[in-house]
Amino acid sequence: MLSLLLPSLLKKLHFDRRLVHLALAALPFTASAQAPSQKPVEGGTLTYAVSQEPTSLVSFLDTKTDNRNVSAKVTEGLLRYDAKFTPQPLLATEWQVSADGLKYSFKLRPGVKFHDGHDLTSEDVRYSVLTQKKQGPRGRITLANVERVDTPDPLTAVIVLSKPAPFLLKSLSSAELPIVPAHRYSDGEPLGNSNITAPVGTGPFVFEQWVRGSHLVLRKNPNYWRKGYPHLDRVIVKFVRDPAAISTAVETGEVDVAQGVGLADLDRLAANPKLKIDDTYDGFLNNASFLEFNLENPVLANVKVRHAIAQAIDRNFIRNTIYYKRVEVVNSPVPRVLADYYDDSTFRYPFDVAAANRLLDEAGQPKQANGQRFSLRVSYIPGAEFKRTTDYLRSALGRVGIKVEVVDGDLPTFLKRVYTTRDFDININGLGRLFDPTVGVQRIYWGDGVRNPLIWINGAHYDNPQVDELFRQAAVEVDAGKRAAQFKQVQQIVGRELPVLPLVSVPLIQVYSARVHNLNNSIDLMAGDLADTWVEPRK
């Protein structure tokens, strides 16, 4: 498991705001245990099967995991990170943080060109940062304290803050805050721009083709600034919704890498000497499954009803049966790996059907003659395990007299239902808790998401000014102890009020051919750029 936010690193980020980093060349980072003992083979095609088709090929204004994983191969960020989250050069070769923490100065790598031949300049950084601050689901939080971006020369960008942002230096990866070509967006609405679906970037691979519902093709960037990379000629990403079909495809060699295999197939695949399994914990995203209550439903607005539903659910069953014991039960929205911030003291809702029934009676929801109390519409984010969780939820809630109607659909339908039309009562969602609570956890509870709806922000429509204020304080607090206390107080409040019930962690497992080398070169694993990846020829 990757370790994040180590105390020493926290101390450094909080207190040493002088020279943070100075380097002139990016060093490759290999997240997997595989050592580069062989000389890479140049050329070839890597075929990758994934379970979900992206909605955008740039994680510019939609940081959905599937979007991130493609985007980072084409569009780069200012920095990359090693396994301990130490920043390394990418588009930026040098950076400094002022003593007061209000100015982040970046020197850009000279000679970098976008795939259409335009030079990368500080204006591209300025446009990318300010647009994501305004419209990005996470950028609105991550970049909330950004006042402006100065561009004193074409290769210098200075991000100026109104208040400190102690987490900012961890948020500048290719997948999280990509630097897009400003000239491609002009003055129009960025969400409708053609660069979203046919991206131009600076990365090791150039977008070639997207066949909706089938696959997309990336080809080698012959003018990539990192000389001698990438090794591959092409990357083909196939969209395969059926987990069993994904398992079969990697097992037969139809694809080289697979994400989204059936968890029930993993033991069999692990026994195949021609395959390898990477189940490294993604310490950047910290993905988890959550049950979100729509607090606009008057029944669910009663906290006793929410507590009852929590106790009607056996999360150990979800872990053991639905995820085949390959996940952990989650007892707080803050990841346990962020140990200084973690507090699960009020998220104690053990599985207890009798207690759930008693709480529902106390909440004024008695069973009727037919044995039912009320009905709920349950939606879920597309995915095999999320669907199975929803099916279990229907059975579990039925035992306490709650009738469940499952409403399903593809991802665009899901996003519209949860964040626009609000046509659900309970939602099973998958969310990244990320590398800092301000970036990943705040959005789950942020009251601004009620007044200014945006995808991936506050599906419950929870609105607690005290929680918002604690998050605001923590976002600018440079004292590690005070910041930890603020985050712990947030957890204690939302654990009692329970607008969202954490369920289990969500694994990101890759199964790949033993012919594939150096698959991951980023702390966020599949959101690496594949520049170091190479494939042995078939024998």
Side-chain angles (χ1 to χ4, degrees), residues 253-278:
E254 179 185 345
V255 301
D256 303 303
V257 186
Q259 177 270 322
V261 300
L263 295 181
D265 298 331
L266 281 176
D267 288 343
R268 185 185 80 250
L269 297 174
N272 187 333
K274 294 182 179 181
L275 299 177
K276 294 188 176 183
I277 294 179
D278 188 339

Short mmCIF file of all heavy atoms in Angstrom, two decimals, residues 253-278:
data_model
loop_
_atom_site.label_atom_id
_atom_site.label_comp_id
_atom_site.label_asym_id
_atom_site.label_seq_id
_atom_site.Cartn_x
_atom_site.Cartn_y
_atom_site.Cartn_z
N GLY A 253 -5.24 -13.84 -24.37
CA GLY A 253 -4.25 -13.02 -25.06
C GLY A 253 -4.84 -12.06 -26.07
O GLY A 253 -4.11 -11.40 -26.80
N GLU A 254 -6.17 -11.95 -26.08
CA GLU A 254 -6.81 -11.00 -26.99
C GLU A 254 -6.43 -9.57 -26.62
O GLU A 254 -6.31 -8.69 -27.48
CB GLU A 254 -8.33 -11.17 -26.95
CG GLU A 254 -9.09 -10.21 -27.84
CD GLU A 254 -10.59 -10.33 -27.68
OE1 GLU A 254 -11.07 -11.33 -27.09
OE2 GLU A 254 -11.30 -9.41 -28.15
N VAL A 255 -6.25 -9.33 -25.32
CA VAL A 255 -5.76 -8.03 -24.85
C VAL A 255 -4.54 -8.26 -23.98
O VAL A 255 -4.34 -9.35 -23.41
CB VAL A 255 -6.84 -7.25 -24.07
CG1 VAL A 255 -8.07 -7.01 -24.94
CG2 VAL A 255 -7.22 -7.95 -22.79
N ASP A 256 -3.70 -7.23 -23.86
CA ASP A 256 -2.48 -7.34 -23.06
C ASP A 256 -2.69 -6.95 -21.61
O ASP A 256 -1.99 -7.45 -20.72
CB ASP A 256 -1.40 -6.43 -23.66
CG ASP A 256 -1.10 -6.76 -25.11
OD1 ASP A 256 -0.74 -7.92 -25.38
OD2 ASP A 256 -1.26 -5.87 -25.97
N VAL A 257 -3.61 -6.03 -21.37
CA VAL A 257 -3.88 -5.52 -20.03
C VAL A 257 -5.39 -5.43 -19.86
O VAL A 257 -6.10 -5.06 -20.80
CB VAL A 257 -3.24 -4.13 -19.80
CG1 VAL A 257 -3.42 -3.70 -18.35
CG2 VAL A 257 -1.77 -4.13 -20.18
N ALA A 258 -5.87 -5.71 -18.66
CA ALA A 258 -7.31 -5.64 -18.40
C ALA A 258 -7.57 -4.98 -17.07
O ALA A 258 -6.91 -5.29 -16.07
CB ALA A 258 -7.93 -7.03 -18.44
N GLN A 259 -8.51 -4.08 -17.05
CA GLN A 259 -9.01 -3.46 -15.83
C GLN A 259 -10.51 -3.70 -15.79
O GLN A 259 -11.19 -3.48 -16.77
CB GLN A 259 -8.70 -1.97 -15.82
CG GLN A 259 -9.24 -1.21 -14.62
CD GLN A 259 -10.64 -0.66 -14.84
OE1 GLN A 259 -10.97 -0.20 -15.92
NE2 GLN A 259 -11.45 -0.70 -13.80
N GLY A 260 -11.01 -4.16 -14.65
CA GLY A 260 -12.44 -4.45 -14.55
C GLY A 260 -12.76 -5.92 -14.71
O GLY A 260 -13.89 -6.28 -15.03
N VAL A 261 -11.78 -6.79 -14.48
CA VAL A 261 -12.04 -8.22 -14.55
C VAL A 261 -12.99 -8.62 -13.43
O VAL A 261 -13.10 -7.95 -12.40
CB VAL A 261 -10.74 -9.04 -14.45
CG1 VAL A 261 -9.79 -8.70 -15.58
CG2 VAL A 261 -10.07 -8.84 -13.11
N GLY A 262 -13.70 -9.73 -13.65
CA GLY A 262 -14.56 -10.23 -12.60
C GLY A 262 -13.75 -10.64 -11.38
O GLY A 262 -12.78 -11.41 -11.50
N LEU A 263 -14.10 -10.13 -10.21
CA LEU A 263 -13.33 -10.45 -9.01
C LEU A 263 -13.34 -11.95 -8.72
O LEU A 263 -12.38 -12.49 -8.15
CB LEU A 263 -13.87 -9.67 -7.82
CG LEU A 263 -13.73 -8.15 -7.90
CD1 LEU A 263 -14.29 -7.50 -6.64
CD2 LEU A 263 -12.28 -7.74 -8.10
N ALA A 264 -14.41 -12.62 -9.11
CA ALA A 264 -14.48 -14.06 -8.90
C ALA A 264 -13.46 -14.81 -9.74
O ALA A 264 -13.14 -15.98 -9.45
CB ALA A 264 -15.88 -14.56 -9.22
N ASP A 265 -12.94 -14.17 -10.78
CA ASP A 265 -11.99 -14.82 -11.68
C ASP A 265 -10.53 -14.63 -11.26
O ASP A 265 -9.63 -15.22 -11.84
CB ASP A 265 -12.15 -14.28 -13.12
CG ASP A 265 -13.51 -14.56 -13.70
OD1 ASP A 265 -14.12 -15.57 -13.30
OD2 ASP A 265 -13.97 -13.76 -14.54
N LEU A 266 -10.29 -13.78 -10.26
CA LEU A 266 -8.91 -13.39 -9.98
C LEU A 266 -8.04 -14.55 -9.51
O LEU A 266 -6.86 -14.63 -9.89
CB LEU A 266 -8.89 -12.26 -8.95
CG LEU A 266 -9.19 -10.86 -9.50
CD1 LEU A 266 -9.22 -9.85 -8.37
CD2 LEU A 266 -8.16 -10.46 -10.54
N ASP A 267 -8.56 -15.43 -8.68
CA ASP A 267 -7.75 -16.55 -8.22
C ASP A 267 -7.31 -17.42 -9.39
O ASP A 267 -6.15 -17.88 -9.45
CB ASP A 267 -8.52 -17.38 -7.20
CG ASP A 267 -8.67 -16.68 -5.85
OD1 ASP A 267 -7.92 -15.71 -5.61
OD2 ASP A 267 -9.55 -17.07 -5.06
N ARG A 268 -8.23 -17.66 -10.33
CA ARG A 268 -7.88 -18.46 -11.50
C ARG A 268 -6.83 -17.75 -12.36
O ARG A 268 -5.85 -18.36 -12.80
CB ARG A 268 -9.13 -18.74 -12.34
CG ARG A 268 -8.85 -19.68 -13.53
CD ARG A 268 -10.06 -19.87 -14.42
NE ARG A 268 -10.25 -18.75 -15.33
CZ ARG A 268 -11.23 -17.87 -15.25
NH1 ARG A 268 -12.11 -17.96 -14.27
NH2 ARG A 268 -11.33 -16.89 -16.12
N LEU A 269 -7.02 -16.45 -12.57
CA LEU A 269 -6.08 -15.70 -13.38
C LEU A 269 -4.71 -15.62 -12.72
O LEU A 269 -3.68 -15.65 -13.40
CB LEU A 269 -6.63 -14.30 -13.65
CG LEU A 269 -7.93 -14.23 -14.45
CD1 LEU A 269 -8.44 -12.79 -14.52
CD2 LEU A 269 -7.75 -14.80 -15.85
N ALA A 270 -4.70 -15.52 -11.41
CA ALA A 270 -3.43 -15.43 -10.68
C ALA A 270 -2.62 -16.71 -10.82
O ALA A 270 -1.37 -16.69 -10.70
CB ALA A 270 -3.68 -15.13 -9.21
N ALA A 271 -3.27 -17.82 -11.06
CA ALA A 271 -2.57 -19.10 -11.20
C ALA A 271 -2.00 -19.31 -12.61
O ALA A 271 -1.27 -20.27 -12.84
CB ALA A 271 -3.53 -20.24 -10.86
N ASN A 272 -2.32 -18.41 -13.52
CA ASN A 272 -1.85 -18.51 -14.91
C ASN A 272 -0.44 -17.92 -14.99
O ASN A 272 -0.25 -16.73 -14.77
CB ASN A 272 -2.81 -17.77 -15.83
CG ASN A 272 -2.49 -17.97 -17.30
OD1 ASN A 272 -1.34 -18.21 -17.68
ND2 ASN A 272 -3.50 -17.85 -18.14
N PRO A 273 0.58 -18.72 -15.33
CA PRO A 273 1.96 -18.20 -15.36
C PRO A 273 2.19 -17.15 -16.44
O PRO A 273 3.21 -16.44 -16.39
CB PRO A 273 2.80 -19.45 -15.62
CG PRO A 273 1.87 -20.41 -16.30
CD PRO A 273 0.52 -20.15 -15.70
N LYS A 274 1.28 -17.03 -17.38
CA LYS A 274 1.44 -16.04 -18.44
C LYS A 274 0.87 -14.67 -18.05
O LYS A 274 0.99 -13.72 -18.83
CB LYS A 274 0.73 -16.53 -19.71
CG LYS A 274 1.37 -17.79 -20.32
CD LYS A 274 0.65 -18.18 -21.61
CE LYS A 274 1.31 -19.41 -22.24
NZ LYS A 274 0.63 -19.80 -23.50
N LEU A 275 0.28 -14.60 -16.86
CA LEU A 275 -0.36 -13.36 -16.43
C LEU A 275 0.23 -12.86 -15.11
O LEU A 275 0.77 -13.63 -14.32
CB LEU A 275 -1.87 -13.57 -16.26
CG LEU A 275 -2.66 -13.98 -17.51
CD1 LEU A 275 -4.12 -14.23 -17.13
CD2 LEU A 275 -2.56 -12.93 -18.59
N LYS A 276 0.10 -11.57 -14.89
CA LYS A 276 0.47 -10.95 -13.63
C LYS A 276 -0.70 -10.09 -13.15
O LYS A 276 -1.49 -9.60 -13.97
CB LYS A 276 1.73 -10.11 -13.78
CG LYS A 276 2.97 -10.93 -14.10
CD LYS A 276 4.23 -10.09 -14.05
CE LYS A 276 5.47 -10.94 -14.28
NZ LYS A 276 6.72 -10.15 -14.16
N ILE A 277 -0.79 -9.91 -11.84
CA ILE A 277 -1.86 -9.10 -11.25
C ILE A 277 -1.23 -7.98 -10.45
O ILE A 277 -0.34 -8.22 -9.62
CB ILE A 277 -2.79 -9.95 -10.37
CG1 ILE A 277 -3.55 -10.97 -11.23
CG2 ILE A 277 -3.77 -9.05 -9.61
CD1 ILE A 277 -4.46 -11.87 -10.45
N ASP A 278 -1.67 -6.76 -10.73
CA ASP A 278 -1.23 -5.60 -9.96
C ASP A 278 -2.41 -5.10 -9.15
O ASP A 278 -3.37 -4.55 -9.70
CB ASP A 278 -0.71 -4.49 -10.89
CG ASP A 278 -0.06 -3.34 -10.12
OD1 ASP A 278 -0.35 -3.21 -8.92
OD2 ASP A 278 0.72 -2.59 -10.72
#
